[in-house]
Amino acid sequence: MRTLILALLLAVTAHAQLLKQSIYPANADAKQDIKAALATAKAEHKRVLLVFGADWCYDCHVLDARFHEGEIQSTVEKNFVVVHIDIGQGEKNVDVANKYNIPVDKGVPSIAVVGSSGAVLYSTQHGEISPTRRLSPAYILNFLQQWSPPKS
């Protein structure tokens, strides 16, 4: 019983720590951030990952944490420019979500993979990654590798 209580306490503490970080700044200008990311992506021969979510979203924090782990991190750094787009409670950046074919009502985080030209190559449509805590690192790595730019 003590072990169970300790494990539960550690899980709650980890959850609270994860949510303390702000990865979706409330004052960010999503359109300007995307414009800058596209310029960087073009110059560095990368793609842009638009990650729609909010700081209140636990799975959004889990996805961001995964983006900073081992082989996933090196894949992200080598192939993508990441832009976090705050959806607030679902009312923020609606026009941006629509432009990139993101139905945020299906769950967040949601991702659009965008080529350096600005063309949408893929967007989550059915909350495919919104239960991020249930996705294995291998699943996330495979997704990133699938959408990495072709090697030249």
Side-chain angles (χ1 to χ4, degrees), residues 28-128:
D29 182 337
K31 292 174 186 168
Q32 190 60 38
D33 291 348
I34 293 168
K35 183 178 178 181
L38 288 169
T40 300
K42 189 170 192 168
E44 297 178 4
H45 308 289
K46 295 180 177 183
R47 290 187 170 161
V48 176
L49 281 181
L50 302 179
V51 183
F52 291 80
D55 281 335
W56 55 260
C57 167
Y58 180 70
D59 283 311
C60 297
H61 286 272
V62 170
L63 181 62
D64 186 67
R66 290 275 168 81
F67 280 179
H68 294 91
E69 294 175 354
E71 192 175 354
I72 295 172
Q73 180 176 6
S74 62
T75 299
V76 169
E77 289 173 355
K78 180 180 175 186
N79 299 293
F80 300 98
V81 178
V82 178
V83 179
H84 290 95
I85 300 172
D86 184 21
I87 64 151
Q89 296 296 321
E91 80 291 350
K92 286 181 74 176
N93 293 308
V94 173
D95 57 333
V96 178
N98 289 337
K99 178 178 180 178
Y100 292 99
N101 304 318
I102 296 291
V104 293
D105 61 325
K106 301 287 185 184
V108 290
S110 291
I111 291 180
V113 180
V114 180
S116 60
S117 67
V120 177
L121 304 173
Y122 171 82
S123 62
T124 54
Q125 294 296 301
H126 307 286
E128 295 95 307

